[in-house]
């Protein structure tokens, strides 16, 4: 009986293991076929130390003479020293004549780039071009007949689908890791032009620039970023879709730079409360906070408060959609923008401008002197009318300066120094000119109502919704 039970247990466990193995994907063929097209990239950056004294004292410092006796300076002063900073990354070959894709941050500032293939051959690479906004770089080595990756369609990826990364984490060449697609079209802070593919594939330092494959052995993305508290893998990784990367590399190969379209607007996300204030049926689109003077949007007639619902017929579901669509448009193209204005939609034709290479930082205008203590209004705000000097400095004809923030205003993240430009409710926008006018408008709202304000903060305009008015006056 014991022998029978032992045999039964063995057969049961064997069949269970076989069933489990049949349910798991096999990555062996993918790794064998695609691995040779993945390369290790090492870079060297030479920095030179400043020649100077061997101790941190200026010649005018009283301690200089004392230390000079015990730590004499070498003849002619301290000689400059050179230091080499080295870094590692990954890449993959997209053409047999030596073109390789990687991340811009992998080769940023490099004086020398070395590419090592799986057959141990090494080549010095030339940087054709790099685009920091998408973190894509194109480099080339002098070689022919190289193995090349196959390119896939990121649009066909599904959440939950198996994907594979091959790269050089911590310098370990051709390491293979696998996982699933966690999400698509992710927007990251300060990353406005890439709809990232989020995965749980193990990506570590050194994997940057390496390919992300689908199970057909096609590259669907470039591994670019990780979210980590420790600097290592924590289950959240992001890849640049390969179609975005290929568009960038085409421009880099043709001209060494990337040309992007622009409208000249500052936008923000449409929240549920803001949608209600603007009279929209649901949160959608990108609301225009400010329009650049003399820019493409102003010339076309776009105004602050407009909600951009479509660009060239493509829906703007979230505000992050708009920069990507506009940036992908060739400068000089005449495009149609559908906006929501004063409770109705309208189409506006705009000629797309070209994004400059560098952004110019705008200076923040100064604040006026704080007046005597005042009573807060229904929003918990102490406000004052702009002085003639402030209007001239800010180049504004009207508005209220927030002097102090209490109660509900503080919960809405309003700040002293913000300037109230307008109040928006049920699709109607009222320009704010005086304190009395503002307080009377507030008095018309029922207790618990939501109020949306158009605020100027520094050089930026934004909409702020204050939830749940109190019953005071």
């Amino acid at each position: 009986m014991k022998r029978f039970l032992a045999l039964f247990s063995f057969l049961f466990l064997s069949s269970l293991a076989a069933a489990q193995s049949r349910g798991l994907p096999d990555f062996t063929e993918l790794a064998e076929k695609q691995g040779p097209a993945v390369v290790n990239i090492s870079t060297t950056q030479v920095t030179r130390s400043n020649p100077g004294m061997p101790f941190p004292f200026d010649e005018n410092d009283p301690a200089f003479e004392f230390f000079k006796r015990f730590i004499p300076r070498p003849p002619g002063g301290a000689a400059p020293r050179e230091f080499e900073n080295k870094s590692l990354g990954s890449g993959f070959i997209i053409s047999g004549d030596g073109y390789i894709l990687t991340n811009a941050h992998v080769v940023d500032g490099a004086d020398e780039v070395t590419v090592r293939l799986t057959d141990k051959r090494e080549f010095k690479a030339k940087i054709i071009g790099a685009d920091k906004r998408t973190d894509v770089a194109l480099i080339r080595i002098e070689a022919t007949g190289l193995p090349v990756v196959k390119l896939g369609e990121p649009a066909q990826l599904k959440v939950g689908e198996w994907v594979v990364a091959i790269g050089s984490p911590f310098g370990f060449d051709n390491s293979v890791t696998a996982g699933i697609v966690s999400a698509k079209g992710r927007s990251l802070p300060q990353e406005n032009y890439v709809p990232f593919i989020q995965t749980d594939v193990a990506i570590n330092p050194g994997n940057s620039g390496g390919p992300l494959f689908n199970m057909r052995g096609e590259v669907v993305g470039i591994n670019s970023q990780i979210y980590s508290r420790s600097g290592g893998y924590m289950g959240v990784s992001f890849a640049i879709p390969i179609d975005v990367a290929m568009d960038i590399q085409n421009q880099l190969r043709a001209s060494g730079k990337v040309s992007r379209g622009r409208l000249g607007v500052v936008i923000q996300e449409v929240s549920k409360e803001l949608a209600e204030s603007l009279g929209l049926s649901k949160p959608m689109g990108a609301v225009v906070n400010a329009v650049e003077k003399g820019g493409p949007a102003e010339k076309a007639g776009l105004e602050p408060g407009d909600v951009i619902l479509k660009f060239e017929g493509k829906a703007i579901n979230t505000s992050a959609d708009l920069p990507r669509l506009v940036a992908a448009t060739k400068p000089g193209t005449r495009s149609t923008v559908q906006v929501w204005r004063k409770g109705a939609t309208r189409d506006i034709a705009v000629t797309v401008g070209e994004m400059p290479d560098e952004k110019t930082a705008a200076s923040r205008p100064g604040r006026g002197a704080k007046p005597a203590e005042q009573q807060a209004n229904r929003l918990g705000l102490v406000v004052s009318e702009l002085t003639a000097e402030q209007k001239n400095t800010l180049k504004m004809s009207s508005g209220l300066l927030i002097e102090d923030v209490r109660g509900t205003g503080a919960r809405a993240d309003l700040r002293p120094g913000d300037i109230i430009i307008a109040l928006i409710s049920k699709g109607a926008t009222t320009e704010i000119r005086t304190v009395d006018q503002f307080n009377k408008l507030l008095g018309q709202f029922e207790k618990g109502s939501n109020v949306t304000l158009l605020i100027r903060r520094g050089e930026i305009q934004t909409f702020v919704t204050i939830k749940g008015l109190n019953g005071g006056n």
Side-chain angles (χ1 to χ4, degrees):
M1 185 65 178
K2 291 182 179 180
R3 293 177 61 186
F4 173 77
L5 290 175
L7 178 61
F8 176 79
S9 298
F10 173 76
L11 293 174
F12 174 76
L13 292 174
S14 298
S15 62
L16 180 62
Q20 289 176 336
S21 65
R22 285 195 299 270
L24 294 174
D26 184 356
F27 308 113
T28 55
E29 185 177 351
L30 187 155
E32 183 179 353
K33 289 185 176 180
Q34 303 305 323
V38 182
V39 302
N40 172 284
I41 297 175
S42 59
T43 64
T44 302
Q45 183 178 17
V46 178
T47 57
R48 176 172 293 189
S49 65
N50 292 325
M53 295 179 299
F55 43 86
F57 293 102
D58 184 80
E59 292 186 7
N60 296 320
D61 195 298
F64 176 83
E65 286 298 326
F66 174 79
F67 277 90
K68 182 179 178 182
R69 298 177 186 177
F70 299 98
I71 312 177
R73 302 174 70 182
R81 297 177 60 190
E82 290 188 346
F83 299 90
E84 288 189 352
N85 297 318
K86 296 182 179 293
S87 62
L88 295 173
S90 304
F92 53 98
I93 305 168
I94 58 172
S95 68
D97 56 351
Y99 283 98
I100 295 169
L101 276 183
T102 185
N103 284 149
H105 76 261
V106 170
V107 298
D108 185 32
D111 293 299
E112 185 177 87
V113 179
T114 302
V115 171
R116 185 169 66 248
L117 309 184
T118 55
D119 60 10
K120 307 304 180 185
R121 285 186 294 166
E122 291 191 357
F123 300 86
K124 298 301 180 187
K126 176 184 177 182
I127 301 175
I128 303 301
D131 179 55
K132 291 185 178 181
R133 286 189 171 107
T134 56
D135 197 22
V136 173
L138 180 68
I139 64 177
R140 189 183 186 187
I141 59 177
E142 293 296 331
T144 58
L146 298 172
V148 178
V149 297
K150 295 187 298 181
L151 302 181
E153 294 289 340
Q156 296 179 5
L157 270 181
K158 296 181 179 180
V159 174
E161 181 177 339
W162 282 96
V163 282
V164 175
I166 303 180
S168 304
F170 306 109
F172 296 112
D173 292 8
N174 240 233
S175 295
V176 180
T177 53
I180 63 169
V181 176
S182 305
K184 294 176 61 180
R186 283 291 195 217
S187 297
L188 301 181
Q190 309 304 318
E191 303 286 353
N192 297 324
Y193 306 107
V194 179
F196 285 97
I197 303 168
Q198 180 185 330
T199 77
D200 69 350
V201 178
I203 301 296
N204 285 293
N207 272 117
S208 293
L212 182 73
F213 293 97
N214 61 22
M215 288 303 294
R216 292 183 293 277
E218 300 166 335
V219 175
V220 291
I222 303 178
N223 297 309
S224 175
Q225 299 187 34
I226 59 175
Y227 264 23
S228 173
R229 296 180 185 272
S230 63
Y233 166 69
M234 291 187 71
V236 184
S237 307
F238 298 94
I240 304 160
I242 193 61
D243 53 350
V244 173
M246 290 304 291
D247 175 65
I248 297 300
Q249 76 87 27
N250 285 335
Q251 295 190 58
L252 292 175
R253 192 184 297 201
S255 62
K257 67 174 186 175
V258 177
S259 177
R260 289 185 173 88
R262 65 185 295 269
L263 291 181
V265 293
V266 177
I267 60 173
Q268 97 179 54
E269 190 73 12
V270 179
S271 65
K272 179 178 179 295
E273 294 77 19
L274 182 54
E276 292 174 357
S277 298
L278 295 172
L280 285 167
S281 60
K282 63 178 182 179
M284 56 184 175
V287 62
V288 177
N289 291 341
V291 180
E292 177 189 302
K293 188 173 182 179
E298 186 191 55
K299 292 177 180 178
L302 283 167
E303 302 173 358
D306 286 346
V307 180
I308 300 177
L309 302 176
K310 293 182 179 180
F311 181 82
E312 279 296 277
K314 297 179 180 178
I316 308 299
N317 296 312
T318 68
S319 60
D321 295 335
L322 183 63
R324 297 170 189 163
L325 291 173
V326 176
T329 304
K330 184 178 179 181
T333 302
R334 192 166 176 80
S335 301
T336 301
V337 177
Q338 185 185 86
V339 303
W340 176 265
R341 181 186 295 174
K342 297 179 180 179
T345 58
R346 64 176 67 187
D347 289 340
I348 297 176
V350 56
T351 301
V352 176
E354 184 170 8
M355 186 179 296
D357 291 335
E358 299 292 336
K359 294 182 179 179
T360 303
S363 59
R364 181 183 176 93
R367 292 171 52 194
K370 186 173 182 177
E373 184 70 21
Q374 299 179 34
Q375 184 177 356
N377 63 19
R378 192 176 177 187
L379 292 181
L381 304 177
V382 176
V383 296
S384 65
E385 295 166 18
L386 296 177
T387 65
E389 182 181 357
Q390 289 171 332
K391 290 178 181 178
N392 183 55
T393 300
L394 298 167
K395 297 180 180 178
M396 297 177 66
S397 60
S398 61
L400 299 184
L401 177 67
I402 297 179
E403 303 288 355
D404 196 11
V405 181
R406 309 165 191 166
T408 52
R411 294 201 304 271
D413 193 32
L414 289 168
R415 308 171 191 173
D418 288 348
I419 299 171
I420 302 172
I421 299 173
L423 183 149
I424 301 93
S425 177
K426 298 180 180 179
T429 300
T430 305
E431 186 177 356
I432 302 301
R433 296 184 175 276
T434 68
V435 173
D436 287 342
Q437 172 213 17
F438 184 49
N439 289 337
K440 285 179 182 178
L441 286 171
L442 294 178
Q444 298 172 6
F445 291 93
E446 296 180 0
K447 182 178 180 180
S449 298
N450 298 333
V451 174
T452 297
L453 303 177
L454 176 59
I455 299 295
R456 174 168 169 174
R457 179 172 295 164
E459 292 296 320
I460 297 175
Q461 292 184 179
T462 185
F463 289 94
V464 175
T465 299
I466 301 173
K467 303 178 182 179
L469 282 177
N470 59 35
N473 293 308

